[in-house]
Amino acid sequence: MKKQILVLCITTLMSGVSLAQGNGFYLGGNVGQTDFDECADGFSCDEKDTGWKLYGGYQLNQNIGIEAGYYNFGETTGKNRFGKYSVEAEGLGVALTGTLPLNNQFSLTSKIGAMRWDADGHYRGRFTSASDDETGTDLFYGVGAKFALAPNMDIVAEWERIDDVSDVDHVDFISAGVQLKF
């Protein structure tokens, strides 16, 4: 399934190149809140943390683009009377992006792609401790909006989800940031 999604994204990207002249490169950075859908049974948990991302992309035409970025999702923690655990996660993502301009300044956005993630888990109990480092590649997707402050600067707000990070069902990332166009 993941390979089929990747092939679909690449095919769409290749067909998008010929649709229209590209609108150019962009770089951006966002900060926001992550929400890990994870709490081990019998633990009280803090599933939210501050996350951030740095990304760049190329707008192939008014509606289609490609984007790649580094994501730092922060960590989730849990504790009970026997010990505590933490899981930190980060990833590199590549996505096909869609843009729907509503007027000259405001656009709705979407994305779908694949993310290579790394999750570091640590447990410390009364008598034992353990660590685990897992990696994987999974689907991620999102929706958002952007507002043009100037011809080369947008303010962006996004919701993104990555499925199946380690033992976590999904991680949600709600963020806002600035995008500079070249």
Side-chain angles (χ1 to χ4, degrees):
M1 172 88 172
K2 293 175 192 168
K3 289 182 182 178
Q4 292 169 336
I5 291 171
L6 183 58
V7 169
L8 177 63
C9 288
I10 290 171
T11 304
T12 304
L13 289 175
M14 297 307 286
S15 65
V17 171
S18 64
L19 289 177
Q21 182 177 353
N23 296 333
F25 290 98
Y26 60 89
L27 295 173
N30 288 25
V31 175
Q33 181 174 311
T34 57
D35 186 358
F36 291 78
D37 185 30
E38 166 66 26
C39 190
D41 290 338
F43 283 79
S44 61
C45 299
D46 180 4
E47 298 176 333
K48 297 182 186 322
D49 200 4
T50 300
W52 58 274
K53 70 175 184 172
L54 296 174
Y55 59 96
Y58 186 77
Q59 196 67 31
L60 298 169
N61 63 41
Q62 183 178 356
N63 301 109
I64 298 173
I66 54 174
E67 185 174 288
Y70 168 78
Y71 291 72
N72 184 310
F73 294 111
E75 73 176 342
T76 180
T77 59
K79 64 181 178 177
N80 66 13
R81 62 185 182 164
F82 301 110
K84 58 185 177 179
Y85 76 87
S86 67
V87 177
E88 297 177 13
E90 62 185 357
L92 295 173
V94 177
L96 175 66
T97 62
T99 303
L100 176 63
L102 299 179
N103 59 37
N104 288 338
Q105 289 186 297
F106 189 72
S107 299
L108 299 178
T109 62
S110 64
K111 66 176 67 175
I112 186 166
M115 183 173 291
R116 178 74 173 165
W117 53 264
D118 178 60
D120 296 324
H122 306 280
Y123 174 79
R124 196 169 102 195
R126 290 184 182 171
F127 306 107
T128 63
S129 64
S131 294
D132 188 24
D133 183 18
E134 292 185 56
T135 59
T137 303
D138 287 292
L139 176 72
F140 85 106
Y141 47 91
V143 294
K146 62 183 175 180
F147 180 79
L149 286 179
N152 65 341
M153 184 187 325
D154 294 338
I155 298 294
V156 298
E158 296 178 294
W159 167 84
E160 295 168 278
R161 173 173 282 182
I162 176 171
D163 287 329
D164 302 324
V165 177
S166 185
D167 294 330
V168 178
D169 184 45
H170 62 263
V171 177
D172 288 334
F173 181 38
I174 297 173
S175 66
V178 176
Q179 193 175 90
L180 301 174
K181 298 182 268 187
F182 303 97

